Amino acid sequence: MRVFKSAAVLAASIALLTTGFAAEAGAQAACPAGKICLYTGANSTGRMATFTWGSPDLRGQGVDRAIWVVSNHPRGMCLYPGYNYTGWPSSVGETVARGFQVSPTSSVKPCTG
């Protein structure tokens, strides 16, 4: 009986890992080439908006306080906690292989320098 429970737990763990990798691949595929995609929920859930040049106020796109990012953008982008590019930004490099969680973001634009 114990062997069957261990096998079931192992199978469930493998299924969860496989699903996680598939979700990451799906998020990357859902973000068009040349864009950065911001999501209101973790793991590419919630509302999504795509950007080429950014936005000074993410309320206009319905993704204010976005917490998840996927980047297929050819250059680095800066994510700001405040509107109009205020506060200390987080940077996202070119074409991130998978999505990741960021601090709540209220504006985004290409990084300079």
Side-chain angles (χ1 to χ4, degrees):
M1 189 70 85
R2 181 170 232 153
V3 173
F4 293 119
K5 284 184 182 178
S6 296
V9 168
L10 179 61
S13 298
I14 291 170
L16 284 174
L17 287 173
T18 305
T19 302
F21 290 130
E24 287 177 3
Q28 185 71 7
C31 190
K35 304 284 185 181
I36 186 170
C37 299
L38 299 176
Y39 297 84
T40 57
N43 300 310
S44 304
T45 62
R47 298 190 81 165
M48 180 188 92
T50 63
F51 301 91
T52 302
W53 298 109
S55 171
D57 187 343
L58 296 179
R59 292 177 290 196
Q61 290 80 30
V63 292
D64 187 31
R65 313 286 295 158
I67 62 166
W68 194 263
V69 62
V70 174
S71 179
N72 278 327
H73 201 275
R75 56 188 285 201
M77 299 291 278
C78 285
L79 311 176
Y80 294 83
Y83 306 112
N84 299 308
Y85 317 114
T86 58
W88 193 260
S90 300
S91 62
V92 177
E94 305 167 2
T95 310
V96 177
R98 60 182 172 81
F100 61 94
Q101 190 158 356
V102 294
S103 297
T105 300
S106 293
S107 56
V108 60
K109 70 176 182 176
C111 297
T112 58

